């Protein structure tokens, strides 16, 4: 694990929001009364230098959109993304190119993320060429180093290979090598092992540990798989319908959840040990329409603890100070006992 004394804030996200115009209603369009899907809704958090932060939630909760916003693959509707003190949302196109050299992304699908007509050498070295780094000899050296760092050894064996000649795990390592060849400060890893065999997942996760420990890299690890988050991440954020509902040290979030939604997620994971006893949090309703969200807690219809206050007032993410097992922050009027 990273030293707390050496930690420094690399990324600061303030009130980040991403809205999508749905155009669901023809009448609404005519009357200029547009409806929006709130994919990311007023989210704030920080990531320290050399820290792996997990982002978990069910499909459709907005976690992949949040990851894409951080590396500016999408532009936010509002809010700030501060990287080393600079607001990325105000960057010019030239500044964004320099920014992308420092912030890279690893996508979920190793088959779709790389061009099948390119050799491994070209795939990995392409970012160096785009950013005009080094001559041909230096680029080859850095490509070989990146492949070795990604666990493809000996790297020379893979340089002339095409993706179709590689296994899924090897393709994902090529994808990772392409991301780290620029020696970035920050990685977004979006479900990087979900399409891989269980037998190769641990090896990929160990790579991220290596990047943190040896390179000081910060990583946002996006996943619906809480078991891999429990293994890898220093801190964890739980997301539900565009909102962060719980965040804290991974051990606290996984073993002593404060939000009923977090507990429900954990109950769905086989062999996950939770020290909160049996849950009485049974589903009572349907997931709210993300275009027509309720005024109060978005999880209220599923929560056995919900009352009139929950239906009326949206809970704010607030810090808990009731012991070492409590998560740092939870958005719940009635947090679970720790």
């Amino acid at each position: 694990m990273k030293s707390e004394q050496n930690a420094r804030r690399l990324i600061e996200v303030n009130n980040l929001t991403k809205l999508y115009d749905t155009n669901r209603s023809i009448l609404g369009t005519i009357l200029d009364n547009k409806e929006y899907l709130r994919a990311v809704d007023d989210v704030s958090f920080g990531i320290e230098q050399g820290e792996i932060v997990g982002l978990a939630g069910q499909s459709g909760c907005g976690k992949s959109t949040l990851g894409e916003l951080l590396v500016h693959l999408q532009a936010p509707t509002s809010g700030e993304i501060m990287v080393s003190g600079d607001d990325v949302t105000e960057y010019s196109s030239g500044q964004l190119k320099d920014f992308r050299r420092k912030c890279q992304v690893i996508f979920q699908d190793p088959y779709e993320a790389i061009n099948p007509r390119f050799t491994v050498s070209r795939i990995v070295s392409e970012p160096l060429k785009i950013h005009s780094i080094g001559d041909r000899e230096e680029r080859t050296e850095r490509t070989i180093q990146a492949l070795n760092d990604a666990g493809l050894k000996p790297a020379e064996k893979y340089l002339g290979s095409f993706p179709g000649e590689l296994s899924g795990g090897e393709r994902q390592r090529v994808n990772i090598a392409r991301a780290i060849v620029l020696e970035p400060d920050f990685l977004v890893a979006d479900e990087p092992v979900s399409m891989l065999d269980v037998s190769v997942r641990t090896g990929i996760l160990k790579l991220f540990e290596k990047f943190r420990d040896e390179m000081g890299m910060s990583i946002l690890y996006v996943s619906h798989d809480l078991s891999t988050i429990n293994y890898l991440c220093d801190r964890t954020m739980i997301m539900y319908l565009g909102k962060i509902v719980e965040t804290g040290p991974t051990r606290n979030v996984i073993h002593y959840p404060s939000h009923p939604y977090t507990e429900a997620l954990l109950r769905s994971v086989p062999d996950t040990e939770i020290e909160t006893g049996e849950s009485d949090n049974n589903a009572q309703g349907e997931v709210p329409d993300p275009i027509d969200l309720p005024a109060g807690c978005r999880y209220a219809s599923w929560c056995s603890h919900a009352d009139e206050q929950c239906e009326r007032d949206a809970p704010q993410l607030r810090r808990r100070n009731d012991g070492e097992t409590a998560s740092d922050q939870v958005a719940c009027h009635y947090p679970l006992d720790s």
Side-chain angles (χ1 to χ4, degrees), residues 14-19 38 40-43 69 75-79:
N14 298 312
N15 309 113
L16 191 64
T17 296
K18 180 63 178 180
L19 307 180
R38 307 185 75 86
V40 176
D41 191 4
D42 196 27
V43 167
L69 290 172
T77 303
S78 62

Side-chain angles (χ1 to χ4, degrees), residues 74-260:
Q74 296 194 52
T77 303
S78 62
E80 295 179 329
I81 305 171
M82 309 296 294
V83 179
S84 299
D86 295 327
D87 188 355
V88 177
T89 64
E90 297 181 353
Y91 276 180
S92 65
S93 58
Q95 289 174 310
L96 279 175
K97 183 177 180 181
D98 292 337
F99 162 76
R100 291 197 172 100
R101 178 175 175 177
K102 300 177 182 179
C103 297
Q104 290 286 301
V105 61
I106 297 168
F107 295 102
Q108 174 182 4
D109 191 342
Y111 297 89
E112 295 291 334
I114 52 182
N115 192 321
R117 297 188 296 273
F118 288 1
T119 64
V120 168
S121 176
R122 182 174 177 183
I123 291 167
V124 179
S125 65
E126 192 76 5
L128 298 172
K129 185 176 181 180
I130 291 172
H131 290 276
S132 302
I133 298 174
D135 56 21
R136 178 174 296 183
E137 182 178 352
E138 182 180 348
R139 290 172 188 168
T140 299
E141 291 176 358
R142 291 187 61 160
T143 297
I144 291 172
Q145 183 62 53
L147 288 169
N148 282 324
D149 288 340
L152 290 173
K153 300 178 181 180
E156 290 80 359
K157 170 186 172 183
Y158 294 92
L159 291 175
S161 300
F162 288 90
E165 301 171 323
L166 307 177
S167 68
E170 288 173 329
R171 291 188 192 203
Q172 192 64 301
R173 290 176 186 270
V174 171
N175 194 17
I176 291 169
R178 179 179 59 185
I180 66 170
V181 74
L182 292 171
E183 300 177 356
D185 297 323
F186 177 59
L187 276 180
V188 171
D190 189 1
E191 301 274 11
V193 299
S194 64
M195 296 188 66
L196 304 180
D197 292 339
V198 174
S199 59
V200 301
R201 290 183 182 181
T202 300
I204 299 295
L205 295 177
K206 286 185 178 297
L207 288 178
F208 295 128
E209 289 184 301
K210 173 185 175 181
F211 299 155
R212 173 193 61 195
D213 297 339
E214 298 182 10
M215 303 178 186
M217 203 175 290
S218 301
I219 300 171
L220 180 71
Y221 181 83
V222 180
S223 181
H224 68 278
D225 185 351
L226 288 168
S227 60
T228 58
I229 282 180
N230 186 40
Y231 171 85
L232 180 66
C233 299
D234 302 304
R235 286 191 301 116
T236 295
M237 302 186 295
I238 304 296
M239 196 168 191
Y240 181 72
L241 286 177
K243 286 280 194 182
I244 301 297
V245 298
E246 182 168 1
T247 178
T250 296
R251 180 181 182 277
N252 294 355
V253 172
I254 298 297
H255 295 284
Y256 308 99
S258 294
H259 198 285

